[in-house]
Amino acid sequence: MLTLLHHARFYTLDAKTPNATALVIRNGQIEAVGDDADLRAAFPHAERVDLQGQVVLPGLTDAHIHFEWYARGLQEVDAETASLSEALRRVGEKAKTTTAGEWITGHGWNQNNWGGRFPCAGDLDLSTTTHPVFLRAKSGHAGWANDAAMQRAGVTAHTPHPAGGQIGHTPDGSLNGLFFEEAMNLISRHIPEKTPDAVAQAMLAAQEKAWQVGLTGLHDFDGRSAFMAFQMLKERGQLGLRVVKMIRVRYLPDALHLGLRSGFGDDWLRVGNVKVFLDGALGPRTASMLEPYEGEPDNSGLVVTDKEDLYEHAAQAARNGLAMTVHAIGDRANHDLLDVYQTIRYEESERGPERLRHRCEHVQILHPSDYQRLGQMNVIASMQPIHATSDMLMSDKYWGPRRSAGAYAWRTQLNAGAVLAFGSDAPVESPNPFLGLHAAVTRRRADGTPGPEGWYPEQRLTVEEALRGFTLGAAYAGYMEDRLGSLTPGKLADLIVIDRDIFTCDPMAIKDTQVLGTMVGGEWRFRS
Ligand SMILES: [Zn+2]
């Protein structure tokens, strides 16, 4: 099978032929890249596809996504609505296609958007009385159940409040359907886990969404059922994304017993790194900081895993060929992580040539004395550009302007020699990589906030630098730079056709880019 894509503008990200007008594919791999007339002459029997002058990029990889969580979200009721009645209508719609007695779940509601009054169990009777319903609030700190759900969970008006949680009651003492914090578990633990097969089904729909926004690969941070689902899709020939699967640290002993090593797998599914959480997040002010949060002299955040434990995990993993990937948001978490990596790199150097692609997830705020260290130690900066524009006002407020100069600072990392691998953290944010490219290049929100220059504009990247984060950088992080990331002969034919030239258009228009076609392994997976 020989295919010639021609009459197009290819941005290859390959220094040898950065621009081309034609590309030849043989058996899912790139055979040649070059000039339209030359390649038509050299491959006269290839099947020709005229791309009508459109722009083509290497396929994009999301280097940090929770794909099972995202896929499940697509099946749930989206309760992020402007009115209570619209949320109830959506639950009613879902009820029509859900077998009576089965759970209906959803998320996204915020009573402040509904006039300030909390919804109650009785409201849901308008949607269904035959399904248990549980809808989580946008904040994640409250849940809203109907009577059927509370009966199923065995919660009554006399059920005591659990530690760290509260059950909502009406003034007359009966249940009102609201569950706060830990009390949410009283309901949610009765919602059956999805089988890996059901997760695989949900992922099929999510995969379509991924192709529609130009993704051809992802690095997944979900758990065991996600790994099983990816394997099942692959067995059935249905996996159409290049997946690097991270391993949760709780499975590290199992991985060690099995003898798994980072990079094991094939072009579809590979074993990635061992994932550890060091701290919390900026929003709830639980990211671990060297100095307290602005205006909160007693709060420096939360240490989820201490430095000694992290070292134990990392040393064990690295000795056995497993690289680490560590969630570090605050400057103290990042500092501790870099100290640990320094020791690990030293131990590795004693053992032989360096192989492991250790990563830092988020690199959200660094102390100036740590700016150079990822680059110096060849630690990958796995960053999510969209977090910067989503969080910038919080960063200014909670970390203050002095410290925020070191926040979401991808230019600083690139200049220090670190490889950038970009992602979205979906479903925390949209998985659309063009929103990330836009944020990386402009440091502005879609509405233009905070003004024409962007937030800490010295951190802006060029379009090519940002694109590398979603292509070559992500490929390197996944041990796949010989297979993915650029349109180079010998690499896999993963590419996308888009409706504009992001290198020359107004940078504010990058976010509106539409994908016209997505090819993975030489096959069109999506064409509009
Ligand atoms: Zn994440």
Coordinates of all heavy atoms in Angstrom, one line a residue, residues 137-224:
A137 N -21.0 18.1 42.5 CA -20.9 19.5 42.2 C -19.6 19.8 41.4 O -18.7 19.0 41.5 CB -21.0 20.3 43.5
K138 N -19.6 20.9 40.7 CA -18.4 21.3 40.0 C -17.2 21.4 40.9 O -16.1 21.0 40.6 CB -18.7 22.7 39.4 CG -17.6 23.4 38.7 CD -17.4 23.0 37.3 CE -16.3 23.8 36.6 NZ -15.9 23.2 35.3
S139 N -17.4 21.9 42.1 CA -16.4 22.0 43.1 C -15.8 20.7 43.5 O -14.7 20.6 44.0 CB -16.9 22.8 44.3 OG -17.8 21.9 45.0
G140 N -16.6 19.6 43.4 CA -16.1 18.3 43.8 C -16.4 18.1 45.3 O -16.0 17.1 45.9
H141 N -16.9 19.1 46.0 CA -17.0 19.0 47.4 C -18.5 18.7 47.9 O -18.7 18.7 49.1 CB -16.6 20.3 48.1 CG -15.1 20.6 47.9 ND1 -14.1 19.9 48.6 CD2 -14.5 21.4 47.0 CE1 -12.9 20.3 48.1 NE2 -13.1 21.2 47.1
A142 N -19.4 18.5 47.0 CA -20.8 18.2 47.3 C -21.4 17.3 46.3 O -21.0 17.3 45.2 CB -21.6 19.5 47.5
G143 N -22.4 16.5 46.7 CA -23.1 15.6 45.8 C -24.6 15.8 46.1 O -25.0 16.1 47.2
W144 N -25.4 15.5 45.1 CA -26.8 15.7 45.1 C -27.5 14.3 44.7 O -27.2 13.9 43.6 CB -27.2 16.8 44.2 CG -28.6 17.1 43.8 CD1 -29.7 16.8 44.6 CD2 -29.0 17.7 42.6 NE1 -30.8 17.2 43.9 CE2 -30.4 17.7 42.7 CE3 -28.4 18.2 41.5 CZ2 -31.2 18.3 41.7 CZ3 -29.1 18.8 40.5 CH2 -30.5 18.8 40.6
A145 N -28.2 13.7 45.6 CA -28.8 12.4 45.3 C -30.4 12.5 45.4 O -30.9 13.4 46.0 CB -28.4 11.4 46.4
N146 N -31.0 11.6 44.7 CA -32.5 11.5 44.8 C -32.8 10.4 45.8 O -31.9 9.7 46.4 CB -33.1 11.2 43.4 CG -32.7 9.9 42.9 OD1 -31.9 9.1 43.4 ND2 -33.4 9.5 41.7
D147 N -34.1 10.2 46.1 CA -34.6 9.3 47.1 C -34.1 7.8 46.7 O -33.7 7.1 47.6 CB -36.1 9.3 47.2 CG -36.5 10.6 47.9 OD1 -35.7 11.1 48.8 OD2 -37.7 11.0 47.7
A148 N -34.2 7.5 45.4 CA -33.8 6.2 45.0 C -32.4 5.9 45.3 O -32.0 4.8 45.8 CB -34.1 6.0 43.5
A149 N -31.5 6.9 45.2 CA -30.1 6.7 45.4 C -29.9 6.5 46.9 O -29.1 5.7 47.4 CB -29.3 7.9 44.9
M150 N -30.6 7.3 47.7 CA -30.4 7.2 49.2 C -30.9 5.9 49.7 O -30.3 5.3 50.6 CB -31.0 8.5 49.9 CG -30.3 9.8 49.5 SD -30.8 11.2 50.4 CE -32.4 11.5 49.7
Q151 N -32.0 5.4 49.1 CA -32.5 4.1 49.6 C -31.5 3.0 49.2 O -31.2 2.2 50.0 CB -33.8 3.8 48.9 CG -35.0 4.4 49.6 CD -36.3 4.4 48.8 OE1 -36.4 3.6 47.8 NE2 -37.2 5.3 49.1
R152 N -31.0 3.1 48.0 CA -30.1 2.1 47.5 C -28.8 2.1 48.4 O -28.3 1.0 48.7 CB -29.6 2.4 46.1 CG -28.8 1.4 45.4 CD -29.5 0.1 45.0 NE -30.5 0.4 44.0 CZ -30.3 0.3 42.6 NH1 -29.1 -0.1 42.2 NH2 -31.2 0.5 41.8
A153 N -28.4 3.3 48.9 CA -27.2 3.4 49.7 C -27.6 3.1 51.2 O -26.7 3.0 52.1 CB -26.6 4.7 49.6
G154 N -28.8 2.9 51.5 CA -29.2 2.6 52.9 C -29.0 3.8 53.8 O -28.9 3.7 55.0
V155 N -29.0 5.0 53.3 CA -28.9 6.2 54.1 C -30.3 6.6 54.6 O -31.2 6.7 53.7 CB -28.2 7.4 53.3 CG1 -28.2 8.6 54.1 CG2 -26.8 6.9 52.9
T156 N -30.5 6.9 55.8 CA -31.8 7.4 56.4 C -31.5 8.7 57.1 O -30.4 9.1 57.3 CB -32.4 6.3 57.3 OG1 -31.6 6.3 58.5 CG2 -32.4 4.9 56.8
A157 N -32.6 9.2 57.6 CA -32.6 10.5 58.3 C -31.8 10.3 59.6 O -31.3 11.3 60.2 CB -34.0 11.0 58.6
H158 N -31.6 9.0 60.1 CA -30.9 8.8 61.3 C -29.4 8.4 61.1 O -28.7 8.2 62.1 CB -31.6 7.7 62.1 CG -33.1 7.9 62.3 ND1 -33.5 9.0 63.1 CD2 -34.2 7.3 61.7 CE1 -34.9 9.0 63.0 NE2 -35.3 8.0 62.2
T159 N -29.0 8.3 59.8 CA -27.6 8.0 59.6 C -26.7 9.1 60.1 O -26.9 10.3 59.9 CB -27.3 7.9 58.1 OG1 -28.2 6.9 57.5 CG2 -25.9 7.5 57.8
P160 N -25.7 8.8 61.0 CA -24.9 9.8 61.5 C -23.9 10.4 60.5 O -23.6 9.8 59.5 CB -24.1 9.1 62.6 CG -24.1 7.6 62.3 CD -25.4 7.4 61.5
H161 N -23.6 11.7 60.7 CA -22.6 12.3 59.8 C -21.3 11.6 59.9 O -20.8 11.3 61.0 CB -22.4 13.8 60.3 CG -23.6 14.6 60.2 ND1 -24.3 14.9 59.1 CD2 -24.3 15.2 61.2 CE1 -25.4 15.7 59.4 NE2 -25.4 15.9 60.7
P162 N -20.7 11.3 58.8 CA -19.3 10.6 58.9 C -18.3 11.6 59.3 O -18.5 12.9 59.1 CB -19.1 10.1 57.5 CG -19.9 11.0 56.6 CD -21.1 11.5 57.4
A163 N -17.1 11.2 59.7 CA -16.0 12.1 60.0 C -15.6 12.9 58.8 O -15.5 12.3 57.7 CB -14.8 11.3 60.5
G164 N -15.5 14.1 58.9 CA -15.1 15.0 57.8 C -16.2 15.2 56.7 O -15.9 15.6 55.6
G165 N -17.4 14.9 57.1 CA -18.5 15.1 56.1 C -19.8 15.4 56.8 O -20.0 15.4 58.0
Q166 N -20.8 15.9 55.9 CA -22.1 16.2 56.5 C -23.2 15.8 55.5 O -23.1 15.9 54.3 CB -22.1 17.8 56.6 CG -23.3 18.2 57.5 CD -23.1 19.6 58.1 OE1 -22.2 20.3 57.6 NE2 -23.9 19.9 59.0
I167 N -24.2 15.3 56.2 CA -25.4 14.9 55.4 C -26.4 16.0 55.6 O -26.7 16.5 56.7 CB -26.0 13.6 56.0 CG1 -25.0 12.4 56.0 CG2 -27.3 13.1 55.2 CD1 -25.4 11.2 56.8
G168 N -27.0 16.4 54.4 CA -28.0 17.5 54.5 C -29.4 17.1 54.9 O -29.8 16.0 54.6
H169 N -30.0 17.9 55.8 CA -31.3 17.7 56.3 C -32.2 18.9 56.0 O -31.7 20.0 56.0 CB -31.3 17.3 57.8 CG -30.6 16.0 58.1 ND1 -29.3 16.0 58.5 CD2 -31.1 14.8 58.0 CE1 -29.0 14.7 58.7 NE2 -30.0 13.9 58.4
T170 N -33.5 18.6 55.9 CA -34.5 19.7 55.9 C -34.7 20.2 57.3 O -34.4 19.5 58.2 CB -35.8 19.3 55.2 OG1 -36.3 18.2 56.1 CG2 -35.6 18.7 53.8
P171 N -35.4 21.4 57.5 CA -35.7 21.9 58.8 C -36.4 20.8 59.7 O -36.2 20.8 60.9 CB -36.5 23.1 58.6 CG -36.1 23.6 57.2 CD -35.8 22.4 56.4
D172 N -37.3 20.0 59.0 CA -38.0 19.0 59.8 C -37.2 17.7 60.1 O -37.7 16.8 60.6 CB -39.4 18.7 59.2 CG -39.3 17.9 57.9 OD1 -38.2 17.4 57.6 OD2 -40.3 17.8 57.2
G173 N -36.0 17.7 59.6 CA -35.1 16.6 60.0 C -35.0 15.5 59.0 O -34.3 14.5 59.2
S174 N -35.7 15.6 57.9 CA -35.6 14.5 56.9 C -34.4 14.8 55.9 O -33.9 15.9 55.9 CB -36.9 14.3 56.1 OG -37.3 15.5 55.6
L175 N -34.1 13.8 55.1 CA -32.9 14.0 54.2 C -33.3 15.0 53.1 O -34.4 14.9 52.6 CB -32.5 12.6 53.6 CG -32.0 11.6 54.5 CD1 -32.0 10.2 53.8 CD2 -30.6 12.0 55.0
N176 N -32.4 15.9 52.7 CA -32.7 16.8 51.6 C -31.9 16.4 50.3 O -32.1 17.0 49.3 CB -32.4 18.2 52.0 CG -30.9 18.5 52.2 OD1 -30.1 17.7 51.9 ND2 -30.6 19.7 52.7
G177 N -31.1 15.3 50.4 CA -30.4 14.8 49.2 C -29.0 15.4 49.0 O -28.4 15.0 48.0
L178 N -28.6 16.2 49.9 CA -27.2 16.8 49.7 C -26.2 16.1 50.6 O -26.5 15.8 51.8 CB -27.2 18.3 50.0 CG -28.0 19.1 49.0 CD1 -28.2 20.5 49.5 CD2 -27.4 19.1 47.6
F179 N -25.0 15.9 50.1 CA -24.0 15.2 50.8 C -22.7 16.0 50.6 O -22.3 16.3 49.5 CB -23.8 13.8 50.3 CG -25.0 12.9 50.6 CD1 -26.1 13.0 49.8 CD2 -25.0 12.1 51.7 CE1 -27.2 12.2 50.1 CE2 -26.1 11.3 52.0 CZ -27.2 11.4 51.2
F180 N -22.1 16.4 51.7 CA -20.9 17.2 51.6 C -19.6 16.5 52.1 O -19.6 15.7 53.0 CB -21.1 18.5 52.5 CG -22.2 19.3 52.1 CD1 -23.5 19.2 52.7 CD2 -22.0 20.3 51.1 CE1 -24.5 20.0 52.3 CE2 -23.1 21.1 50.6 CZ -24.4 20.9 51.2
E181 N -18.5 16.8 51.3 CA -17.2 16.2 51.6 C -17.3 14.7 51.8 O -17.8 14.0 50.9 CB -16.6 16.9 52.8 CG -16.5 18.4 52.7 CD -15.5 18.9 51.6 OE1 -14.7 18.1 51.1 OE2 -15.5 20.1 51.3
E182 N -16.8 14.2 52.9 CA -16.7 12.7 53.1 C -18.0 12.0 53.0 O -18.1 10.8 52.8 CB -16.0 12.4 54.4 CG -14.5 12.7 54.4 CD -13.7 12.0 53.4 OE1 -13.9 10.8 53.2 OE2 -13.0 12.6 52.6
A183 N -19.1 12.7 53.3 CA -20.4 12.1 53.3 C -20.8 11.7 51.9 O -21.7 10.8 51.7 CB -21.5 13.1 53.8
M184 N -20.1 12.3 50.8 CA -20.4 11.9 49.5 C -20.2 10.4 49.3 O -20.8 9.7 48.5 CB -19.6 12.7 48.5 CG -19.9 14.2 48.5 SD -18.7 15.1 47.6 CE -19.0 14.6 45.9
N185 N -19.2 9.8 50.0 CA -18.8 8.4 49.9 C -20.0 7.5 50.3 O -20.1 6.4 49.8 CB -17.6 8.1 50.8 CG -16.3 8.6 50.1 OD1 -16.3 8.6 48.9 ND2 -15.4 8.9 51.0
L186 N -20.9 8.0 51.2 CA -22.0 7.2 51.6 C -22.8 6.7 50.4 O -23.4 5.6 50.4 CB -22.9 7.9 52.6 CG -22.3 8.3 54.0 CD1 -23.2 9.2 54.7 CD2 -21.9 7.1 54.7
I187 N -22.9 7.6 49.4 CA -23.6 7.3 48.2 C -22.7 6.7 47.2 O -23.0 5.6 46.6 CB -24.3 8.6 47.6 CG1 -25.2 9.3 48.6 CG2 -25.0 8.2 46.3 CD1 -26.4 8.5 49.0
S188 N -21.6 7.3 46.9 CA -20.8 7.0 45.7 C -20.2 5.5 45.9 O -20.0 4.9 44.9 CB -19.7 8.0 45.5 OG -18.8 8.1 46.6
R189 N -20.0 5.0 47.1 CA -19.4 3.7 47.2 C -20.4 2.6 46.7 O -20.1 1.5 46.6 CB -18.9 3.4 48.6 CG -20.0 3.4 49.7 CD -19.3 2.9 51.0 NE -20.4 2.7 52.0 CZ -20.4 3.3 53.2 NH1 -19.4 4.1 53.6 NH2 -21.3 3.1 54.0
H190 N -21.7 3.0 46.6 CA -22.7 2.0 46.1 C -22.8 2.0 44.6 O -23.6 1.2 44.0 CB -24.0 2.3 46.8 CG -24.0 2.0 48.2 ND1 -24.2 0.8 48.8 CD2 -23.7 2.8 49.3 CE1 -24.1 0.8 50.1 NE2 -23.8 2.0 50.4
I191 N -22.2 3.0 43.9 CA -22.2 3.0 42.5 C -21.3 2.0 41.9 O -20.1 2.0 42.3 CB -21.9 4.4 41.9 CG1 -22.9 5.4 42.6 CG2 -21.9 4.5 40.4 CD1 -22.5 6.9 42.3
P192 N -21.7 1.0 41.2 CA -20.8 -0.1 40.8 C -19.7 0.4 39.9 O -19.8 1.3 39.1 CB -21.7 -1.0 39.9 CG -23.0 -0.4 39.8 CD -23.1 0.8 40.6
E193 N -18.5 -0.2 40.2 CA -17.3 0.1 39.3 C -17.6 -0.4 37.9 O -18.3 -1.4 37.7 CB -16.1 -0.7 39.9 CG -15.5 -0.1 41.1 CD -14.7 1.1 40.7 OE1 -13.8 1.0 39.9 OE2 -15.0 2.2 41.3
K194 N -17.1 0.3 37.0 CA -17.2 -0.1 35.6 C -16.2 -1.3 35.3 O -15.1 -1.2 35.8 CB -16.8 1.0 34.6 CG -18.0 1.9 34.3 CD -17.6 2.7 33.0 CE -18.7 3.5 32.5 NZ -20.1 3.5 33.0
T195 N -16.7 -2.3 34.6 CA -15.7 -3.3 34.2 C -14.7 -2.8 33.2 O -15.1 -1.8 32.5 CB -16.5 -4.5 33.5 OG1 -17.1 -4.0 32.3 CG2 -17.5 -5.1 34.5
P196 N -13.6 -3.4 33.0 CA -12.6 -2.9 32.0 C -13.3 -2.9 30.6 O -13.0 -2.0 29.8 CB -11.5 -4.0 32.1 CG -11.5 -4.4 33.5 CD -13.0 -4.4 33.9
D197 N -14.2 -3.9 30.4 CA -14.8 -3.9 29.1 C -15.7 -2.7 28.9 O -15.7 -2.1 27.8 CB -15.7 -5.2 29.0 CG -16.1 -5.5 27.5 OD1 -15.2 -5.2 26.6 OD2 -17.2 -5.8 27.3
A198 N -16.4 -2.3 29.9 CA -17.2 -1.1 29.8 C -16.4 0.2 29.7 O -16.7 1.1 29.0 CB -18.1 -1.0 31.1
V199 N -15.2 0.2 30.4 CA -14.3 1.3 30.2 C -13.8 1.4 28.8 O -13.7 2.4 28.1 CB -13.1 1.2 31.2 CG1 -12.0 2.2 30.9 CG2 -13.5 1.2 32.6
A200 N -13.5 0.2 28.2 CA -13.0 0.1 26.8 C -14.1 0.7 25.9 O -13.8 1.5 24.9 CB -12.7 -1.3 26.4
Q201 N -15.4 0.4 26.1 CA -16.5 0.9 25.3 C -16.5 2.4 25.4 O -16.7 3.1 24.4 CB -17.8 0.3 25.8 CG -18.1 -1.1 25.4 CD -18.0 -1.2 23.8 OE1 -18.5 -0.4 23.1 NE2 -17.4 -2.3 23.4
A202 N -16.4 2.9 26.7 CA -16.4 4.4 26.8 C -15.2 5.0 26.1 O -15.4 6.1 25.6 CB -16.4 4.7 28.3
M203 N -14.1 4.3 26.2 CA -12.9 4.9 25.5 C -13.1 5.0 24.0 O -12.4 5.9 23.4 CB -11.7 4.1 25.8 CG -11.1 4.3 27.2 SD -9.6 3.3 27.4 CE -9.0 3.9 29.0
L204 N -13.9 4.1 23.4 CA -14.0 4.2 22.0 C -14.6 5.6 21.6 O -14.2 6.2 20.6 CB -15.0 3.1 21.5 CG -14.3 1.7 21.3 CD1 -15.3 0.7 20.8 CD2 -13.1 1.8 20.3
A205 N -15.6 6.0 22.4 CA -16.2 7.3 22.1 C -15.2 8.5 22.4 O -15.2 9.4 21.6 CB -17.5 7.5 22.9
A206 N -14.4 8.3 23.4 CA -13.4 9.3 23.8 C -12.4 9.4 22.7 O -11.8 10.5 22.4 CB -12.8 9.0 25.1
Q207 N -12.0 8.2 22.1 CA -11.0 8.2 21.1 C -11.4 9.0 19.9 O -10.6 9.7 19.3 CB -10.8 6.7 20.7 CG -9.8 6.6 19.6 CD -9.4 5.1 19.4 OE1 -8.3 4.7 19.8 NE2 -10.2 4.3 18.8
E208 N -12.7 8.9 19.5 CA -13.3 9.7 18.4 C -13.1 11.2 18.7 O -12.6 12.0 17.8 CB -14.8 9.5 18.2 CG -15.1 8.0 17.9 CD -15.0 7.7 16.4 OE1 -15.0 8.7 15.6 OE2 -15.0 6.5 16.1
K209 N -13.4 11.6 19.9 CA -13.2 13.0 20.3 C -11.7 13.4 20.2 O -11.4 14.5 19.8 CB -13.7 13.2 21.8 CG -15.1 13.0 22.0 CD -15.9 14.3 22.0 CE -17.3 14.1 22.3 NZ -18.1 15.2 21.9
A210 N -10.8 12.5 20.6 CA -9.4 12.8 20.6 C -9.0 13.1 19.1 O -8.3 14.0 18.8 CB -8.6 11.7 21.2
W211 N -9.4 12.2 18.2 CA -9.0 12.4 16.8 C -9.6 13.7 16.3 O -8.9 14.4 15.5 CB -9.6 11.2 16.0 CG -9.0 9.9 16.2 CD1 -7.7 9.7 16.6 CD2 -9.6 8.6 16.1 NE1 -7.5 8.3 16.7 CE2 -8.6 7.6 16.4 CE3 -10.9 8.2 15.7 CZ2 -8.9 6.3 16.3 CZ3 -11.2 6.8 15.7 CH2 -10.2 5.9 16.0
Q212 N -10.8 14.1 16.7 CA -11.4 15.3 16.2 C -10.6 16.5 16.6 O -10.8 17.6 15.9 CB -12.9 15.4 16.7 CG -13.8 14.5 16.0 CD -15.1 14.3 16.8 OE1 -15.5 15.2 17.6 NE2 -15.9 13.2 16.5
V213 N -9.9 16.5 17.7 CA -9.1 17.7 18.0 C -7.6 17.5 17.7 O -6.8 18.3 18.1 CB -9.2 18.0 19.5 CG1 -10.7 18.5 19.8 CG2 -8.8 16.9 20.4
G214 N -7.3 16.4 16.9 CA -5.9 16.3 16.4 C -5.0 15.5 17.2 O -3.8 15.5 17.0
L215 N -5.5 14.7 18.2 CA -4.6 13.9 19.0 C -4.4 12.6 18.3 O -5.4 11.9 17.8 CB -5.2 13.7 20.4 CG -5.2 14.9 21.3 CD1 -6.0 14.6 22.6 CD2 -3.8 15.4 21.6
T216 N -3.2 12.1 18.3 CA -2.9 10.8 17.8 C -2.2 10.0 18.8 O -1.8 8.8 18.6 CB -2.0 10.9 16.5 OG1 -0.8 11.6 16.9 CG2 -2.7 11.7 15.4
G217 N -1.9 10.6 20.0 CA -1.2 9.8 21.0 C -1.5 10.4 22.4 O -2.0 11.6 22.5
L218 N -1.3 9.6 23.4 CA -1.5 10.2 24.8 C -0.7 9.4 25.8 O -0.4 8.2 25.6 CB -3.0 10.1 25.1 CG -3.9 9.0 24.8 CD1 -3.9 8.0 26.0 CD2 -5.3 9.4 24.5
H219 N -0.4 10.1 26.9 CA 0.2 9.5 28.0 C -0.8 9.5 29.1 O -1.3 10.5 29.6 CB 1.5 10.3 28.5 CG 2.5 10.4 27.4 ND1 3.7 11.0 27.6 CD2 2.6 9.9 26.2 CE1 4.5 10.9 26.5 NE2 3.8 10.3 25.6
D220 N -1.2 8.3 29.5 CA -2.4 8.1 30.4 C -2.0 8.0 31.9 O -1.1 7.2 32.2 CB -3.2 6.9 30.0 CG -4.4 6.7 30.9 OD1 -5.3 7.5 30.7 OD2 -4.3 5.9 31.8
F221 N -2.7 8.7 32.7 CA -2.4 8.7 34.1 C -3.4 8.0 35.0 O -3.4 8.2 36.2 CB -2.1 10.2 34.6 CG -0.8 10.7 34.2 CD1 -0.5 11.1 32.9 CD2 0.3 10.7 35.1 CE1 0.8 11.5 32.5 CE2 1.6 11.1 34.8 CZ 1.8 11.5 33.5
D222 N -4.4 7.3 34.4 CA -5.3 6.6 35.1 C -4.8 5.2 35.5 O -3.6 4.9 35.3 CB -6.7 6.5 34.4 CG -7.5 7.8 34.5 OD1 -7.2 8.6 35.4 OD2 -8.3 8.1 33.7
G223 N -5.7 4.4 36.1 CA -5.2 3.2 36.8 C -5.3 1.9 36.0 O -5.2 1.9 34.8
R224 N -5.6 0.9 36.8 CA -5.5 -0.5 36.3 C -6.6 -0.8 35.2 O -6.3 -1.4 34.2 CB -5.7 -1.4 37.5 CG -5.9 -2.9 37.1 CD -6.1 -3.7 38.4 NE -6.2 -5.1 38.1 CZ -7.3 -5.7 37.7 NH1 -8.4 -5.1 37.7 NH2 -7.3 -7.0 37.5

